[in-house]
């Protein structure tokens, strides 16, 4: 009987520890102190976050140089906080706006 109670208590304690772990893992702050701008001569954009934890991605809205057609987005790679993500418009296109997105 004593072994059964002890085994149950150990199982309950282990379950409680596991259920708290996901909450602790996401306690880090989201990316912050972020900036983005055009890359000269408007071939794309850059984005960087210097605080928090996670990733940043540069986004450029691109338009054909001759003004025909619509726009399309060009995405840079996801980069760790403290690193710079660079997006690049296709050849013959220019960046007309810049932005970024973040993820944990």
């Amino acid at each position: 009987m004593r072994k059964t109670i002890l085994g149950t208590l150990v199982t309950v304690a282990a379950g409680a520890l596991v259920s708290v772990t996901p909450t602790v893992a996401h306690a880090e702050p989201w990316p912050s102190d972020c900036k983005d701008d055009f890359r000269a001569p408007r071939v794309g954009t850059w984005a960087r976050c210097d605080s928090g934890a996670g990733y940043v991605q540069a986004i450029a809205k691109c338009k054909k140089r001759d003004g025909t057609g619509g726009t399309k987005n060009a995405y840079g790679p996801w980069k760790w906080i403290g690193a710079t993500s660079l997006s690049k418009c296709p050849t013959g296109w220019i960046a007309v706006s810049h932005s970024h997105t973040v993820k944990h």
Side-chain angles (χ1 to χ4, degrees), residues 10-24:
V10 169
T11 302
V12 169
L17 180 61
V18 168
S19 65
V20 171
T21 302
T23 304
V24 173

Side-chain angles (χ1 to χ4, degrees), residues 24-65:
V24 173
H26 293 291
E28 294 177 335
W30 275 83
S32 59
D33 191 20
C34 302
K35 301 167 196 71
D36 58 69
D37 205 349
F38 293 108
R39 293 171 58 195
R42 292 203 176 210
V43 296
T45 63
W46 62 268
R48 179 184 175 102
C49 296
D50 290 320
S51 300
Y55 304 87
V56 63
Q57 181 185 45
I59 304 170
K61 182 182 279 188
C62 305
K63 185 174 183 176
K64 286 187 179 181
R65 288 186 187 275

